[in-house]
Every structure is written in C-alpha cells, then in structure tokens.
Amino acid sequence: VQLQASGGGLVQAGGSLKLSCLASTSGRIFSSWIMGWFRQAPGKEREFVAAIRWGPGTTYYSDSVKGRFTISKDSGYNTMSLTMNSLKPEDTAVYYCGILRSTGLGWTTSKGYDYWGQGTQVTVSS
C-alpha cells in the first residue's frame, strides 16, 4: 500500500484547510483497517490527531482537535480526508497519514501503523 498526503499549506489562525490521503494498492483496503492522521512539529514526537475505521467509519479524535477537525473517507476512491477548521498556531506541523492493519497497540500509537505517507506541511500563522 502506498499513501500520498496532500492539501497542506499556509493559513491564518482561525482559517481552514482540508488534507487528503490517497491509498494506492493492488489489493484492497480491509474494513477492519484503520486510517489515521498524525502530526509532528519540530523537536516534538509524532502525535495522534484522528483516525477512522475503514468499514464502519468509526472515528476517534485527540482532545486537542475534537470539535475542530473532521475525518472522513471515500471508499470508492480509497481516499481519506481531514477537514481542519478554526486552526491555531499550535496546529502547525507536518501531517502524516497512515494505515493500521492490526489494532493491537491501539489507534493512537504511531508505532503500530504499517504504512505511512510522505507528510504534508501545515503552517498556521498568528
């Protein structure tokens, strides 16, 4: 599986951005798989942002983005999106999308994810 993230950019505080993650595979994305977004700011560890279970569309958000960000999927196009509203300067980071095939380590731990995209930069100015 190859993942390609896009949609990052520079936005003022309070603004919005929509990130997309396209999954390319010769097989299929299984309904039990989790697709998630993580972010990493300079000098910080990669942190969980949001995730969605591919089949039922169950979602989970970090407390820091709950109510501002919305994760969604388009199964027909193997695409996951992250709509980010009310952006804050502390949201500035490189955002990565990933796929988790087995939830043994949980949805929010980056170490459990099997595939990663290349990252897209989001910069929020104050």
Side-chain angles (χ1 to χ4, degrees):
V1 179
Q2 291 185 327
L3 301 176
Q4 184 169 356
S6 61
L10 173 64
V11 64
Q12 289 188 332
S16 299
L17 278 176
K18 184 176 182 179
L19 306 183
S20 294
C21 179
L22 172 65
S24 300
T25 174
S26 58
R28 56 176 287 201
I29 298 178
F30 290 88
S31 60
S32 61
W33 287 8
I34 307 299
M35 288 191 73
W37 288 98
F38 286 73
R39 65 187 181 188
Q40 189 166 18
K44 294 188 177 182
E45 292 187 354
R46 191 170 294 191
E47 68 169 347
F48 172 77
V49 175
I52 186 167
R53 188 180 290 273
W54 197 250
T58 310
T59 59
Y60 188 70
Y61 298 91
S62 69
D63 288 342
S64 62
V65 307
K66 197 175 297 181
R68 299 189 297 124
F69 291 10
T70 302
I71 190 170
S72 60
K73 65 178 179 72
D74 186 331
S75 300
Y77 292 95
N78 281 0
T79 300
M80 172 182 66
S81 297
L82 184 69
T83 302
M84 306 184 294
N85 297 320
S86 303
L87 282 162
K88 304 175 182 179
E90 50 264 42
D91 294 318
T92 295
V94 177
Y95 283 69
Y96 297 90
C97 58
I99 286 180
L100 174 69
R101 297 181 298 174
S102 174
T103 58
L105 295 179
W107 294 28
T108 64
T109 303
S110 63
K111 292 181 180 179
Y113 281 68
D114 301 284
Y115 307 104
W116 290 100
Q118 83 285 7
T120 184
Q121 176 71 47
V122 172
T123 303
V124 184
S125 63
S126 57

